[in-house]
Amino acid sequence: SSGINAEYGECQTFQHYFKQINLRMPPTKRSKAYYVQSAKRPKCHGVGKSLEALKQSTPGVIVTANFLKGGCKREVLQLLKEFSGVGSNHSDQKSTSDDVTDEIAAEIAELKKERIIFDKIELSNNMMFIAVRDQGINPTTLVHKVLTSLKDSKQRRTRFTQKIQPVAHTCYASVEDITKVAQTMLEGVFHNDTPKTFSIVYKARNNNSLNRDDVIKAVATVATDNDKWKDSVKVHLDNPEWAITVDVFQSIAFLGLLPDFVLLAKYNVDNLTAEWMKKDEEKEGEKEEEKEG
């Protein structure tokens, strides 16, 4: 304090010194009431507001990350854009303009268009929902094409992504709303004489208001149209032709109708690629042993 008083004679306290040199004092300890109120505030960080919009039916893709969610988002968006053809016209087209400004403007416009088509909504630390805003893109067909390509080519092409699951409809998480959406989703595929099998895959996160058995019973009733099509629509839990997925997150239900559910390892990228990734590792190990020998 003597040094401060020597330089600033009129500053008798540290408070005066900080005021003199135009700086704020270090923050004082907050009261207990501040922390009590902070604990009561919802910590949704904008998630709640985004989820509200999903009460209206929105097709898209649920993505689960292994770790590093940012890397997962980038690689999944790259796959979706590649297999949907979004941005391909711009990237393949050679510039005929000598004006660099025009090229940059076109590139920015294309990026904005891509963001509008694939709209990312955060769900949790390792989950996101990518809403598909282009009505010409069917998320189920798109994801099926992506995973089939990975399976046939035996290429992983992802590092941080665990699961890519298409969603046909979203709605408010109630038995009544789920039943209505299931009717819309299943009517055209299930309510006919063509033999088919199905299973219902239900999973709930951060929701205690719905009863699992009630939801499964309601969706199964819709699938057979209250037993009207029970002779052509059969339950097959081991290897169904169609998997009816109902994923509930907080107040929103995500419904999907997935073909080749078992063949594509339940749309789990890790499991889909595990077999040949293991074989590749074994081959590399054998090569290393041969070199050492």
Side-chain angles (χ1 to χ4, degrees), residues 28-203:
T28 55
K29 184 178 180 181
R30 293 187 174 101
S31 64
K32 181 179 178 180
Y34 171 85
Y35 295 101
V36 172
Q37 292 300 320
S38 296
K40 292 180 180 179
R41 295 189 193 106
K43 295 175 176 57
C44 60
H45 303 292
V47 171
K49 186 177 180 181
S50 300
L51 286 177
E52 283 296 314
L54 297 181
K55 289 181 180 179
Q56 300 295 326
S57 182
T58 306
V61 181
I62 292 177
V63 180
T64 308
N66 285 327
F67 58 98
L68 200 58
K69 194 174 177 181
C72 170
K73 179 192 73 172
R74 286 190 295 273
E75 61 191 19
V76 169
L77 285 175
Q78 179 60 39
L79 286 171
L80 294 180
K81 287 188 289 185
E82 177 184 336
F83 283 86
S84 65
V86 173
S88 59
N89 293 334
H90 177 74
S91 59
D92 295 339
Q93 184 179 9
K94 293 183 179 179
S95 175
T96 57
S97 172
D98 294 332
D99 193 345
V100 178
T101 305
D102 291 343
E103 291 185 31
I104 294 174
E107 187 71 25
I108 292 173
E110 188 66 28
L111 289 173
K112 287 181 179 179
K113 179 183 176 182
E114 292 172 7
R115 289 191 188 118
I116 293 172
I117 293 175
F118 299 113
D119 184 12
K120 182 177 67 68
I121 298 171
E122 302 287 347
L123 297 181
S124 66
N125 290 335
N126 71 325
M127 285 182 62
M128 71 188 88
F129 177 70
I130 301 177
V132 178
R133 305 295 186 186
D134 189 334
Q135 295 182 355
I137 299 175
N138 184 318
T140 304
T141 304
L142 176 58
V143 174
H144 187 274
K145 188 188 297 184
V146 171
L147 296 183
T148 301
S149 175
L150 297 183
K151 184 177 185 299
D152 293 343
S153 64
K154 295 187 177 181
Q155 292 181 355
R156 175 63 189 257
R157 295 196 60 184
T158 59
R159 182 180 177 187
F160 309 109
T161 305
Q162 182 182 38
K163 195 170 185 179
I164 310 174
Q165 181 176 310
V167 172
H169 298 276
T170 62
C171 66
Y172 178 68
S174 69
V175 175
E176 294 76 16
D177 285 35
I178 291 173
T179 302
K180 291 178 183 177
V181 170
Q183 179 72 31
T184 302
M185 182 176 71
L186 301 177
E187 187 175 16
V189 179
F190 276 52
H191 297 170
N192 52 61
D193 292 324
T194 305
K196 60 190 67 67
T197 59
F198 76 97
S199 69
I200 299 172
V201 182
Y202 176 87
K203 190 167 187 177

Side-chain angles (χ1 to χ4, degrees), residues 47 123-124 203-209 248-252:
V47 171
L123 297 181
S124 66
K203 190 167 187 177
R205 304 173 184 85
N206 300 341
N207 180 292
N208 296 319
S209 61
V248 178
F249 182 82
Q250 295 183 11
S251 61
I252 302 298

